Structures are given as C-alpha cells and as structure tokens.
Amino acid sequence: LAKTTQPISMDSYEGQEVNITCSHNNIATNDYITWYQQFPSQGPRFIIQGYKTKVTNEVASLFIPADRKSSTLSLPRVSLSDTAVYYCLVGAINAGGTSYGKLTFGQGTILTVHP
Amino acid sequence: DAEITQSPRHKITETGRQVTLACHQTWNHNNMFWYRQDLGHGLRLIHYSYGVHDTNKGEVSDGYSVSRSNTEDLPLTLESAASSQTSVYFCASSPSGRSYEQYFGPGTRLTVT
C-alpha cells in the first residue's frame, strides 16, 4: 500500500481557502486517492475521491498532478465548522470500483479554523 | 433515513471477559468494516466483510473476531478483553463497488479495567 505523508496541523481563518497537500510518492497505477474528514468524537466522513486531474463536489476540490505523486484537497471559504482532522488515503480500486484490500488511515492533518 | 448504529456507545469491562460490540446498518450495503482508533495511531482496520458469510482480517485482528450472518449486522467480539484493547471502535459500511466510500457509525468507547 502506498504510504501517505501529510502536514500534522494547519491553521486558517474563516473565509479563507485552505489547501492540504498529501504526498504519495509510491502510488501505483491502480491506486485512487480518497479524502476523509473527522470531527471530534465522530466517525470519519467521506469527502472526495479521484484518480487524476481535478475532481470537484459540493464540499471540496481535489487536485492531482500528472505524476500523481501528490494531491491537494482544497476547501473553499472555510468556516469554524470545518475544524477537523483530514485524512488522505491511497488504495487500489479495480475496474468495478471495489478496493482490492482496505483503506489505511494515516495520522491525518488537524485543521484549525480561527474566527 | 438509512443509517448505521453502534451499541453500546460506552462500555466498561474487566480483563478476561468476552465482549461483543454491535453494528447495524440499514443501507443494505454489502461491505462492512471495523476499526479502532487510539491516540497516536489513527484508525486501524480490525476486520472487514464484503458480504454475508465473508470475513477478512485487517491489520490488528488478533484478539478479535467477527461473523456475518446477514447483510445488516457485523458484530465484533473480543474473545478475552485485555487492557490494550481499551479504545474507540468504529464500524463502517459501504456500497458494493465503492468500498472506498465508507459511512461510519458514531463509535463505541470501550474501557477494559
């Protein structure tokens, strides 16, 4: 499984755009990149998933360069409620969309949004 | 609305006792997972199942067992509880073909004394 490296913590202010970068130098051809968010005392929540280029949904955008050795989760105009831990995960998914094995959660990035 | 529930939410037990944590989902998801979360270790996968009667070991499966007799439930059993198993346990489920998109339960905080 590809190992991921993220910053341990980040600080931002309300209304700013936040970009969290994840390094995955050993990503394999079949690997997809998935991001989760976790609030204190809650289970993680799926945010976004992608393979290459850019993916956008109602919550965030995911930017993946051509070499796929890193990815950036972009949160537009954060609010206090975006304070959470953000996890970057890399795992293989076959053509049918099923993970070959399992998701491996790293330490994540603690994002703190200040007023 | 469909949901995933865990019970109990809090449990205190003694070393050596058998403990079963319940997980129930109403999404009709084929995939179900059990994780534990400890400070300094993030979430670690204990067991997972891709369907009825299917179970697989995760990275920290020693001392734990699961069985899947129906789609909705994946109970986690600690055969003989140890203090090292004090943790927060999360159950998750995901649709077939999208095992990366997991929906997590609220968690069970287990303390083994």
Side-chain angles (χ1 to χ4, degrees):
Chain A
L1 295 173
K3 177 179 171 60
T4 60
T5 302
Q6 307 174 232
I8 294 175
S9 63
M10 294 180 66
D11 289 276
S12 183
Y13 292 89
E14 285 189 289
Q16 290 187 336
E17 178 183 75
V18 172
N19 296 309
I20 306 174
T21 297
C22 178
S23 297
H24 26 79
N25 291 320
N26 297 322
I27 190 168
T29 303
N30 289 338
D31 285 343
Y32 279 65
I33 300 150
T34 309
W35 285 81
Y36 277 76
Q37 173 192 56
Q38 186 178 24
F39 298 113
S41 301
Q42 294 186 26
R45 181 174 76 105
F46 170 82
I47 301 176
I48 198 166
Q49 185 244 8
Y51 185 80
K52 61 181 179 180
T53 64
K54 177 183 175 181
V55 180
T56 298
N57 62 21
E58 65 277 5
V59 176
S61 295
L62 179 59
F63 298 92
I64 305 169
D67 66 6
R68 304 200 326 121
K69 293 184 183 298
S70 67
S71 59
T72 300
L73 175 73
S74 181
L75 304 172
R77 296 181 299 280
V78 294
S79 64
L80 296 177
S81 62
D82 292 314
T83 293
V85 180
Y86 292 82
Y87 295 97
C88 166
L89 301 93
V90 174
I93 298 176
N94 63 17
T98 301
S99 296
Y100 281 122
K102 49 198 182 286
L103 294 180
T104 300
F105 285 82
Q107 296 299 310
T109 297
I110 302 171
L111 172 65
T112 304
V113 180
H114 303 277
Chain B
D1 289 341
E3 61 178 356
I4 180 166
T5 58
Q6 294 183 233
S7 61
R9 295 295 311 279
H10 298 88
K11 174 79 175 177
I12 300 174
T13 191
E14 296 178 344
T15 300
R17 290 189 179 269
Q18 183 181 76
V19 177
T20 296
L21 308 182
C23 176
H24 179 80
Q25 53 98 3
T26 58
W27 278 300
N28 201 35
H29 288 166
N30 281 334
N31 306 325
M32 295 187 72
F33 309 82
W34 271 105
Y35 295 87
R36 60 177 289 176
Q37 186 169 35
D38 308 286
L39 284 175
H41 287 281
L43 284 107
R44 292 181 290 176
L45 183 65
I46 305 172
H47 283 285
Y48 58 104
S49 167
Y50 285 147
V52 177
H53 303 308
D54 174 75
T55 61
N56 305 280
K57 293 182 178 180
E59 63 177 306
V60 290
S61 60
D62 287 348
Y64 303 94
S65 64
V66 294
S67 63
R68 188 91 178 270
S69 59
N70 59 51
T71 300
E72 296 79 20
D73 300 287
L74 186 70
L76 177 71
T77 297
L78 286 69
E79 304 294 344
S80 178
S83 57
S84 60
Q85 294 177 308
T86 292
S87 185
V88 178
Y89 291 85
F90 288 103
C91 177
S93 70
S94 70
S96 293
R98 301 209 305 272
S99 56
Y100 52 84
E101 185 178 339
Q102 297 180 19
Y103 295 83
F104 282 76
T108 293
R109 183 174 296 276
L110 176 68
T111 302
V112 182
T113 62

